[in-house]
Amino acid sequence: MKTRDDCLAADRQDPLAHLKSQFALPQGVLYLDGNSLGAQPVAALARAQEVVSQEWGQGLIRSWNTAGWFDLPARLGAKLAPLLGVPGDDVVVTDSTSLNLFKVLAAALRIQDSQAPERRVIVSERDNFPTVLYMIEGMIDFLKQGYSLRLVDESLPLQEALGDDVAVLLLSHVNYRSGAMYDMAAVSAMAHAQGALVIWDLAHAAGAVPLALQADGADFAVGCTYKYLNGGPGSPAFLWVAGQHQNAFWQPLSGWWSHAQPFAMSDRYAPAQGIRRYLCGTQPITSLAMVECGLDVALQADMAEVRRKSLAMSDLFIELVRTRCAAHPLTLITPEDHAARGSHVSLRHPQGYAVMQALIARGLIGDYREPEVLRFGLTPLYLGYADVWDAVEILRDVLDTRAWDRPAFLARAQVT
Ligand SMILES: *Cc1c(COP(=O)(O)O)cnc(C)c1O
């Protein structure tokens, strides 16, 4: 695509183009941050109104039964399951990704401890999203059973980090900063060959790339619904456990919603069978209900088509940056190999923070991550090829005119 007209022509041929009208995007905004907070589905407003005024306002406590509130974590899990490539009754939507990491890590460590107590190492990578590393550190400190964290980095490749002392490998499928993606099947097989269980954080993968957790041999997975799944700010996360592990251990956040009979009000804990034992307590129903609006749009799209368009848009973005912003010190840190790329593109610039503030002031919303990284999320459900063209033109203009070089753009906000 050499011109904006070429992009418009590609948009007219795009089988996903009609889905854009199902999102409420503000006028004058080019939204390339759906990898961080997805856009608002149009249906969400009416659904929120229904939950608040009908289900809560009129139904009151009866709605736990009559509006299906009690079953919502499992019903939404079943709806999400096809996007993860797993059976419907192996997923729940509940709690935050960080909390769910705690639950599945505890389960994986306990399963390993019962079979191979000499395995006391958890492997992750230095470049992982910080909450993953922090939750592992917290678990190690809490357990005080001699566990340690080993981090993969430039000096320690994954193959060398794995070994007969490793209990669990915990990785993000798509890296939040670079957009690099692991081969899930190959990495899971490598870990299993070394006797480790594998947990995948799918925060930047679910809804963005086709997933086949079961076929790829994953053991556990967690992820956000507020990024590519458009569930709303802070919407509850999801958690999947492979069938063979589900009843092997009960996770330690064993609140009453994970009990076999929550309303028996027993004084003794007995875990539910299956994935329900990964719940904890009462769910934030208003927020949880919004997740369905995002899923309903995602399920209308063929995931192979979503992937094809995501790669085409990111190829176009990379090519246009290369040809039209060549005079500027931008470094692509996202792999160009399709198999190794998620659905966002990241560029380094020495003044990355200020550049992003200037772009946002011009209506192009991406985001900034340390160090010096500009992230641009390419979401096929509500962006097209002409949007990519326009985004790169704004970037080029901001760089050519040094519009970023102003005190207001150099001052850091609390959330970057
Ligand atoms: C966004 C993200 C999270 C977020 O976790 P929360 O508990 O929802 O704050 C976790 N892991 C990864 C890899 C992420 O990208």
Side-chain angles (χ1 to χ4, degrees):
M1 285 173 241
K2 298 270 185 273
T3 65
R4 190 170 192 278
D5 280 344
D6 293 344
C7 296
L8 288 171
D11 284 337
R12 283 192 292 275
Q13 304 288 316
D14 173 12
L16 300 175
H18 66 287
L19 293 173
K20 181 175 183 175
S21 65
Q22 298 190 33
F23 291 92
L25 288 159
Q27 286 294 319
V29 165
L30 267 178
Y31 195 63
L32 274 66
D33 210 2
N35 54 303
S36 202
L37 173 62
Q40 183 211 320
V42 171
L45 189 57
R47 181 70 184 117
Q49 217 144 22
E50 182 179 49
V51 172
V52 173
S53 53
Q54 298 300 313
E55 297 182 4
W56 179 18
Q58 300 300 311
L60 292 164
I61 201 162
R62 294 169 289 192
S63 288
W64 284 107
N65 292 312
T66 58
W69 287 356
F70 187 73
D71 290 326
L72 199 54
R75 189 169 68 74
L76 293 178
K79 220 163 174 169
L80 170 63
L83 293 173
L84 307 181
V86 300
D89 48 11
D90 290 347
V91 190
V92 278
V93 178
T94 185
D95 297 331
S96 67
T97 299
S98 302
L99 284 176
N100 289 339
L101 280 167
F102 184 88
K103 298 176 203 171
V104 296
L105 180 57
L109 291 176
R110 189 58 66 89
I111 290 168
Q112 288 287 49
D113 186 54
S114 67
Q115 291 159 10
E118 70 287 359
R119 292 179 177 269
R120 280 294 189 264
V121 173
I122 301 164
V123 172
S124 190
E125 64 180 335
R126 199 172 299 285
D127 219 14
N128 211 334
F129 189 81
T131 208
V132 179
L133 304 182
Y134 302 164
M135 293 307 292
I136 297 172
E137 284 186 66
M139 178 71 78
I140 289 172
D141 185 61
F142 171 71
L143 289 177
K144 301 228 181 298
Q145 290 176 356
Y147 285 101
S148 65
L149 172 59
R150 181 180 298 156
L151 295 176
V152 170
D153 58 18
E154 307 81 55
S155 62
L156 181 66
L158 183 54
Q159 294 91 315
E160 285 173 33
L162 295 169
D164 59 12
D165 56 352
V166 176
V168 173
L169 171 64
L170 200 177
L171 293 173
S172 294
H173 184 41
V174 175
N175 184 277
Y176 79 102
R177 189 188 286 117
S178 68
M181 181 169 75
Y182 279 109
D183 179 336
M184 185 181 287
V187 170
S188 299
M190 194 197 316
H192 287 162
Q194 299 279 346
L197 291 172
V198 193
I199 301 171
W200 291 100
D201 185 328
L202 304 176
H204 285 269
V209 299
L211 293 165
L213 294 175
Q214 185 134 303
D216 287 348
D219 295 296
F220 301 85
V222 299
C224 303
T225 62
Y226 56 77
K227 293 176 178 170
Y228 290 94
L229 293 169
N230 307 303
S235 58
F238 63 86
L239 180 158
W240 166 79
V241 179
Q244 74 270 24
H245 299 313
Q246 277 173 17
N247 297 324
F249 168 65
W250 39 279
Q251 55 88 12
L253 299 183
S254 45
W256 69 312
W257 275 54
S258 72
H259 194 278
Q261 292 179 286
F263 287 92
M265 298 295 173
S266 167
D267 61 357
R268 293 300 301 274
Y269 183 70
Q273 294 297 300
I275 197 67
R276 270 202 40 235
R277 71 171 59 185
Y278 282 83
L279 299 177
C280 179
T282 308
Q283 307 298 309
I285 295 296
T286 43
S287 180
L288 189 59
M290 297 300 98
V291 173
E292 187 157 27
C293 303
L295 287 177
D296 282 341
V297 184
L299 291 170
Q300 292 170 50
D302 171 11
M303 202 56 214
E305 195 59 55
V306 170
R307 177 64 170 160
R308 201 190 58 70
K309 181 175 169 188
S310 156
L311 289 169
M313 285 199 299
S314 50
D315 281 346
L316 175 65
F317 185 86
I318 291 167
E319 175 62 17
L320 290 175
V321 166
R322 193 166 276 149
T323 51
R324 302 180 74 80
C325 305
H328 301 286
L330 291 168
T331 314
L332 177 70
I333 64 166
T334 302
E336 290 197 64
D337 176 9
H338 283 179
R341 187 202 302 169
S343 197
H344 71 269
V345 174
S346 299
L347 303 167
R348 268 182 93 139
H349 184 283
Q351 290 294 338
Y353 184 81
V355 171
M356 184 50 72
Q357 300 319 301
L359 294 176
I360 293 170
R362 293 279 302 273
L364 168 56
I365 301 181
D367 65 16
Y368 173 80
R369 288 290 175 266
E370 296 293 346
E372 304 181 354
V373 176
L374 303 162
R375 287 195 309 183
F376 298 96
L378 298 160
T379 49
L381 300 186
Y382 50 83
L383 287 176
Y385 300 100
D387 294 325
V388 173
W389 179 278
D390 293 344
V392 176
E393 280 305 286
I394 294 172
L395 174 63
R396 185 184 61 73
D397 191 63
V398 159
L399 294 173
D400 284 353
T401 60
R402 290 179 69 88
W404 53 267
D405 195 5
R406 288 178 25 197
F409 295 147
L410 293 157
R412 299 287 165 109
Q414 202 173 14
V415 175
T416 61

